[in-house]
Amino acid sequence: MSNSALRCVLVYRLEKGGNAVCLAKYDHTYEASGGASSGRDDAFATAVESIVSNDPPVGISESNKIGGFKVVQSDEHQVTYGCDKDGVCCAVITGNKYQSRVAIGCLNELYTDFMAKFARDTKSAAKNSLSKKAKTIMKTVSEKYEDPSKVDKTSKILGQVDAVKGQMQSNIAGMLKNTEKAEVLNEKSNQLNEQASVFKKRSTDLKKQMRWKNLKMTLLLAAVCIAIACAIIIPLVNKAKAITGNGGGGGNP
């Protein structure tokens, strides 16, 4: 069951001994869905009967008017109930997020409509004897109050606020996600820039190394060429000098 849904409405009679007798009950959840309650409305009626008997409303002084409202909550359900001066008690079972002021409005209307037709019967009616007779009244009230936003302006505004809040949270989540993506992209961009800088530095160092290596190779080749030239030219020069010297010496007497 939704935590803001109307589940069941009930009418009790408080006996002098304090015991609550269920006069009428209407399981709105199962009736609205077209299903059968399978006895679960009896279980709810018994549970509420125990709650009302153990902690009945007090401080009611006006006739023909319900008051002394009390609210009891469990993990999933909420029971709101009130009583008139003569011991006629109305109760509604809802989800635990159902606004109590709306539940009280539902009880006031249920009490007014129910008592307009069954006020005399409430004094002597047997247990559950008015459920079928009062079904139309209880169904009409349940349908009217099944959606709190339709009968309570504050609930409607709160619902709209929750919708806007949900949209804002969704937008903020999207912005944070986009921010995270932007941060990741920025981080990757910085990493690429660092890698480019490292690559550029290494390229520059490698270029200098190659230039120095080429220079050394050039100097080495030049030295080898000079050495080879010297090895060829010097013997030729020496030989030419020797021939010239021998020829000059043979012309004298």
Short mmCIF file of all heavy atoms in Angstrom, two decimals, residues 6 8-12 22-28 89-92 106 109-111 113-114 118 130-145:
data_model
loop_
_atom_site.label_atom_id
_atom_site.label_comp_id
_atom_site.label_asym_id
_atom_site.label_seq_id
_atom_site.Cartn_x
_atom_site.Cartn_y
_atom_site.Cartn_z
N LEU A 6 -5.45 5.96 1.31
CA LEU A 6 -6.53 5.65 2.26
C LEU A 6 -6.86 4.17 2.13
O LEU A 6 -7.13 3.69 1.04
CB LEU A 6 -7.76 6.53 1.96
CG LEU A 6 -8.89 6.46 2.98
CD1 LEU A 6 -9.63 7.79 3.02
CD2 LEU A 6 -9.88 5.34 2.66
N CYS A 8 -8.94 2.08 4.68
CA CYS A 8 -10.19 1.54 5.20
C CYS A 8 -10.85 2.56 6.13
O CYS A 8 -10.16 3.32 6.82
CB CYS A 8 -9.89 0.24 5.97
SG CYS A 8 -11.33 -0.64 6.58
N VAL A 9 -12.19 2.60 6.12
CA VAL A 9 -12.93 3.44 7.07
C VAL A 9 -13.85 2.55 7.90
O VAL A 9 -14.38 1.56 7.40
CB VAL A 9 -13.75 4.54 6.35
CG1 VAL A 9 -12.84 5.56 5.71
CG2 VAL A 9 -14.67 3.93 5.30
N LEU A 10 -14.02 2.93 9.18
CA LEU A 10 -14.78 2.09 10.10
C LEU A 10 -15.59 2.95 11.06
O LEU A 10 -15.21 4.09 11.35
CB LEU A 10 -13.85 1.19 10.91
CG LEU A 10 -12.78 0.39 10.13
CD1 LEU A 10 -11.43 1.07 10.27
CD2 LEU A 10 -12.70 -1.04 10.60
N VAL A 11 -16.70 2.37 11.55
CA VAL A 11 -17.52 3.04 12.56
C VAL A 11 -17.73 2.07 13.72
O VAL A 11 -18.08 0.90 13.52
CB VAL A 11 -18.88 3.48 11.98
CG1 VAL A 11 -19.73 4.14 13.07
CG2 VAL A 11 -18.69 4.43 10.80
N TYR A 12 -17.51 2.55 14.96
CA TYR A 12 -17.63 1.73 16.16
C TYR A 12 -18.63 2.35 17.14
O TYR A 12 -18.96 3.53 17.07
CB TYR A 12 -16.27 1.62 16.87
CG TYR A 12 -15.22 0.87 16.09
CD1 TYR A 12 -14.42 1.53 15.15
CD2 TYR A 12 -15.01 -0.49 16.30
CE1 TYR A 12 -13.45 0.85 14.44
CE2 TYR A 12 -14.04 -1.17 15.60
CZ TYR A 12 -13.26 -0.50 14.66
OH TYR A 12 -12.31 -1.17 13.96
N CYS A 22 -17.49 -2.93 16.34
CA CYS A 22 -17.49 -2.44 14.97
C CYS A 22 -18.90 -2.54 14.39
O CYS A 22 -19.46 -3.64 14.28
CB CYS A 22 -16.50 -3.23 14.12
SG CYS A 22 -16.39 -2.65 12.42
N LEU A 23 -19.48 -1.42 13.98
CA LEU A 23 -20.83 -1.41 13.40
C LEU A 23 -20.78 -1.48 11.87
O LEU A 23 -21.63 -2.10 11.24
CB LEU A 23 -21.57 -0.14 13.83
CG LEU A 23 -21.72 0.09 15.34
CD1 LEU A 23 -22.44 1.40 15.60
CD2 LEU A 23 -22.46 -1.07 15.99
N ALA A 24 -19.77 -0.82 11.29
CA ALA A 24 -19.67 -0.80 9.82
C ALA A 24 -18.21 -0.64 9.42
O ALA A 24 -17.44 0.06 10.09
CB ALA A 24 -20.51 0.34 9.25
N LYS A 25 -17.85 -1.26 8.30
CA LYS A 25 -16.48 -1.16 7.80
C LYS A 25 -16.50 -1.19 6.28
O LYS A 25 -17.37 -1.81 5.66
CB LYS A 25 -15.62 -2.31 8.33
CG LYS A 25 -16.16 -3.69 7.99
CD LYS A 25 -15.39 -4.79 8.68
CE LYS A 25 -16.01 -6.16 8.35
NZ LYS A 25 -15.31 -7.26 9.02
N TYR A 26 -15.54 -0.50 5.70
CA TYR A 26 -15.44 -0.47 4.23
C TYR A 26 -13.97 -0.48 3.86
O TYR A 26 -13.23 0.46 4.17
CB TYR A 26 -16.13 0.78 3.67
CG TYR A 26 -15.98 0.91 2.17
CD1 TYR A 26 -16.71 0.09 1.30
CD2 TYR A 26 -15.10 1.84 1.62
CE1 TYR A 26 -16.56 0.21 -0.08
CE2 TYR A 26 -14.94 1.96 0.24
CZ TYR A 26 -15.68 1.16 -0.60
OH TYR A 26 -15.53 1.27 -1.97
N ASP A 27 -13.54 -1.56 3.18
CA ASP A 27 -12.14 -1.71 2.75
C ASP A 27 -12.00 -1.08 1.37
O ASP A 27 -12.27 -1.70 0.35
CB ASP A 27 -11.76 -3.19 2.70
CG ASP A 27 -10.26 -3.38 2.55
OD1 ASP A 27 -9.60 -2.49 2.00
OD2 ASP A 27 -9.76 -4.43 3.00
N HIS A 28 -11.57 0.16 1.35
CA HIS A 28 -11.54 0.92 0.10
C HIS A 28 -10.50 0.39 -0.88
O HIS A 28 -10.73 0.35 -2.09
CB HIS A 28 -11.26 2.40 0.40
CG HIS A 28 -11.17 3.25 -0.82
ND1 HIS A 28 -12.24 3.43 -1.68
CD2 HIS A 28 -10.14 3.97 -1.36
CE1 HIS A 28 -11.88 4.24 -2.68
NE2 HIS A 28 -10.62 4.56 -2.50
N CYS A 89 -17.86 6.15 17.43
CA CYS A 89 -16.46 6.40 17.07
C CYS A 89 -16.23 6.09 15.59
O CYS A 89 -16.66 5.05 15.09
CB CYS A 89 -15.54 5.53 17.93
SG CYS A 89 -13.79 5.72 17.57
N CYS A 90 -15.57 7.00 14.90
CA CYS A 90 -15.20 6.80 13.49
C CYS A 90 -13.69 6.69 13.39
O CYS A 90 -12.96 7.41 14.09
CB CYS A 90 -15.70 7.95 12.63
SG CYS A 90 -17.49 8.07 12.51
N ALA A 91 -13.22 5.82 12.51
CA ALA A 91 -11.78 5.61 12.34
C ALA A 91 -11.45 5.45 10.87
O ALA A 91 -12.27 4.98 10.08
CB ALA A 91 -11.32 4.38 13.12
N VAL A 92 -10.23 5.84 10.50
CA VAL A 92 -9.75 5.66 9.13
C VAL A 92 -8.32 5.13 9.18
O VAL A 92 -7.49 5.60 9.97
CB VAL A 92 -9.82 6.99 8.33
CG1 VAL A 92 -9.00 8.08 8.99
CG2 VAL A 92 -9.34 6.77 6.89
N CYS A 106 -11.80 13.78 6.86
CA CYS A 106 -12.51 12.59 6.38
C CYS A 106 -13.44 12.04 7.46
O CYS A 106 -14.60 11.70 7.19
CB CYS A 106 -11.49 11.53 5.96
SG CYS A 106 -12.19 9.93 5.51
N GLU A 109 -16.57 14.24 8.00
CA GLU A 109 -17.57 14.07 6.94
C GLU A 109 -18.23 12.69 7.04
O GLU A 109 -19.45 12.56 6.85
CB GLU A 109 -16.91 14.24 5.57
CG GLU A 109 -17.90 14.26 4.43
CD GLU A 109 -17.30 14.81 3.15
OE1 GLU A 109 -16.30 15.57 3.21
OE2 GLU A 109 -17.83 14.48 2.07
N LEU A 110 -17.44 11.66 7.34
CA LEU A 110 -18.00 10.32 7.52
C LEU A 110 -19.02 10.31 8.66
O LEU A 110 -20.11 9.75 8.52
CB LEU A 110 -16.87 9.33 7.79
CG LEU A 110 -17.31 7.90 8.14
CD1 LEU A 110 -18.07 7.26 6.98
CD2 LEU A 110 -16.10 7.05 8.53
N TYR A 111 -18.65 10.93 9.76
CA TYR A 111 -19.55 10.97 10.92
C TYR A 111 -20.86 11.69 10.59
O TYR A 111 -21.95 11.20 10.90
CB TYR A 111 -18.84 11.68 12.08
CG TYR A 111 -19.73 11.89 13.29
CD1 TYR A 111 -19.95 10.86 14.20
CD2 TYR A 111 -20.37 13.12 13.51
CE1 TYR A 111 -20.78 11.06 15.31
CE2 TYR A 111 -21.19 13.32 14.61
CZ TYR A 111 -21.38 12.29 15.51
OH TYR A 111 -22.22 12.47 16.59
N ASP A 113 -22.34 12.24 7.64
CA ASP A 113 -23.17 11.50 6.68
C ASP A 113 -23.74 10.22 7.29
O ASP A 113 -24.89 9.85 7.03
CB ASP A 113 -22.35 11.17 5.42
CG ASP A 113 -21.95 12.42 4.66
OD1 ASP A 113 -22.50 13.51 4.96
OD2 ASP A 113 -21.09 12.32 3.76
N PHE A 114 -22.92 9.53 8.06
CA PHE A 114 -23.33 8.27 8.67
C PHE A 114 -24.44 8.52 9.70
O PHE A 114 -25.46 7.81 9.72
CB PHE A 114 -22.13 7.59 9.31
CG PHE A 114 -22.42 6.21 9.84
CD1 PHE A 114 -22.29 5.10 9.02
CD2 PHE A 114 -22.83 6.02 11.16
CE1 PHE A 114 -22.55 3.83 9.51
CE2 PHE A 114 -23.09 4.76 11.65
CZ PHE A 114 -22.96 3.65 10.82
N PHE A 118 -28.04 6.83 10.16
CA PHE A 118 -28.02 5.67 11.06
C PHE A 118 -27.87 6.04 12.53
O PHE A 118 -27.46 5.20 13.34
CB PHE A 118 -26.88 4.72 10.66
CG PHE A 118 -26.96 4.21 9.26
CD1 PHE A 118 -26.12 4.71 8.27
CD2 PHE A 118 -27.90 3.25 8.91
CE1 PHE A 118 -26.18 4.25 6.97
CE2 PHE A 118 -27.97 2.78 7.61
CZ PHE A 118 -27.13 3.28 6.63
N LEU A 130 -24.18 -2.93 9.97
CA LEU A 130 -24.45 -1.75 9.13
C LEU A 130 -23.47 -1.60 7.96
O LEU A 130 -23.55 -0.62 7.23
CB LEU A 130 -24.40 -0.48 10.00
CG LEU A 130 -25.40 -0.41 11.16
CD1 LEU A 130 -25.23 0.89 11.93
CD2 LEU A 130 -26.84 -0.53 10.64
N SER A 131 -22.60 -2.57 7.78
CA SER A 131 -21.59 -2.47 6.72
C SER A 131 -22.22 -2.36 5.33
O SER A 131 -21.86 -1.49 4.53
CB SER A 131 -20.64 -3.67 6.76
OG SER A 131 -19.86 -3.65 7.93
N LYS A 132 -23.17 -3.24 5.02
CA LYS A 132 -23.80 -3.22 3.70
C LYS A 132 -24.70 -1.99 3.54
O LYS A 132 -24.73 -1.36 2.49
CB LYS A 132 -24.60 -4.49 3.49
CG LYS A 132 -23.75 -5.74 3.33
CD LYS A 132 -24.61 -6.96 3.02
CE LYS A 132 -23.75 -8.20 2.82
NZ LYS A 132 -24.56 -9.41 2.52
N LYS A 133 -25.45 -1.66 4.58
CA LYS A 133 -26.36 -0.53 4.49
C LYS A 133 -25.62 0.80 4.32
O LYS A 133 -26.10 1.69 3.63
CB LYS A 133 -27.22 -0.47 5.76
CG LYS A 133 -28.15 -1.65 5.94
CD LYS A 133 -28.95 -1.52 7.23
CE LYS A 133 -29.88 -2.72 7.43
NZ LYS A 133 -30.66 -2.60 8.70
N ALA A 134 -24.47 0.90 4.96
CA ALA A 134 -23.72 2.16 4.92
C ALA A 134 -22.62 2.16 3.85
O ALA A 134 -21.82 3.10 3.78
CB ALA A 134 -23.10 2.43 6.28
N LYS A 135 -22.58 1.13 3.02
CA LYS A 135 -21.50 1.01 2.05
C LYS A 135 -21.43 2.21 1.12
O LYS A 135 -20.34 2.73 0.83
CB LYS A 135 -21.67 -0.27 1.22
CG LYS A 135 -20.57 -0.47 0.19
CD LYS A 135 -20.75 -1.80 -0.55
CE LYS A 135 -19.63 -1.98 -1.58
NZ LYS A 135 -19.77 -3.26 -2.31
N THR A 136 -22.57 2.68 0.62
CA THR A 136 -22.58 3.80 -0.31
C THR A 136 -21.98 5.05 0.33
O THR A 136 -21.16 5.76 -0.28
CB THR A 136 -24.01 4.11 -0.79
OG1 THR A 136 -24.54 2.95 -1.42
CG2 THR A 136 -24.01 5.27 -1.77
N ILE A 137 -22.38 5.33 1.57
CA ILE A 137 -21.87 6.51 2.28
C ILE A 137 -20.36 6.39 2.49
O ILE A 137 -19.60 7.33 2.21
CB ILE A 137 -22.57 6.65 3.65
CG1 ILE A 137 -24.04 6.99 3.44
CG2 ILE A 137 -21.88 7.72 4.50
CD1 ILE A 137 -24.85 7.01 4.73
N MET A 138 -19.92 5.24 2.96
CA MET A 138 -18.50 5.04 3.27
C MET A 138 -17.65 5.02 2.00
O MET A 138 -16.53 5.53 1.97
CB MET A 138 -18.32 3.74 4.06
CG MET A 138 -19.14 3.72 5.34
SD MET A 138 -19.00 2.19 6.29
CE MET A 138 -17.53 2.50 7.24
N LYS A 139 -18.20 4.47 0.91
CA LYS A 139 -17.49 4.46 -0.36
C LYS A 139 -17.32 5.87 -0.90
O LYS A 139 -16.23 6.24 -1.39
CB LYS A 139 -18.26 3.61 -1.37
CG LYS A 139 -17.61 3.55 -2.75
CD LYS A 139 -18.42 2.69 -3.69
CE LYS A 139 -17.78 2.64 -5.09
NZ LYS A 139 -18.59 1.84 -6.03
N THR A 140 -18.39 6.68 -0.82
CA THR A 140 -18.34 8.05 -1.33
C THR A 140 -17.28 8.87 -0.59
O THR A 140 -16.48 9.59 -1.20
CB THR A 140 -19.72 8.73 -1.18
OG1 THR A 140 -20.68 7.99 -1.91
CG2 THR A 140 -19.67 10.16 -1.70
N VAL A 141 -17.27 8.74 0.73
CA VAL A 141 -16.28 9.48 1.54
C VAL A 141 -14.87 8.99 1.23
O VAL A 141 -13.93 9.78 1.10
CB VAL A 141 -16.60 9.31 3.04
CG1 VAL A 141 -15.49 9.94 3.89
CG2 VAL A 141 -17.93 9.96 3.38
N SER A 142 -14.69 7.68 1.10
CA SER A 142 -13.37 7.11 0.82
C SER A 142 -12.84 7.58 -0.53
O SER A 142 -11.66 7.91 -0.67
CB SER A 142 -13.44 5.58 0.84
OG SER A 142 -13.79 5.11 2.12
N GLU A 143 -13.70 7.59 -1.54
CA GLU A 143 -13.28 8.04 -2.86
C GLU A 143 -12.90 9.52 -2.85
O GLU A 143 -11.98 9.93 -3.55
CB GLU A 143 -14.39 7.78 -3.88
CG GLU A 143 -14.60 6.31 -4.21
CD GLU A 143 -15.76 6.08 -5.16
OE1 GLU A 143 -16.58 7.01 -5.33
OE2 GLU A 143 -15.85 4.96 -5.71
N LYS A 144 -13.62 10.29 -2.07
CA LYS A 144 -13.33 11.72 -2.00
C LYS A 144 -11.97 11.98 -1.35
O LYS A 144 -11.22 12.87 -1.78
CB LYS A 144 -14.42 12.45 -1.21
CG LYS A 144 -14.18 13.95 -1.09
CD LYS A 144 -15.32 14.63 -0.35
CE LYS A 144 -15.06 16.13 -0.21
NZ LYS A 144 -16.16 16.83 0.49
N TYR A 145 -11.64 11.18 -0.33
CA TYR A 145 -10.43 11.44 0.44
C TYR A 145 -9.27 10.49 0.10
O TYR A 145 -8.25 10.51 0.79
CB TYR A 145 -10.73 11.33 1.94
CG TYR A 145 -11.47 12.54 2.48
CD1 TYR A 145 -12.86 12.61 2.44
CD2 TYR A 145 -10.78 13.63 3.01
CE1 TYR A 145 -13.55 13.72 2.91
CE2 TYR A 145 -11.45 14.74 3.50
CZ TYR A 145 -12.83 14.79 3.44
OH TYR A 145 -13.50 15.89 3.91
#
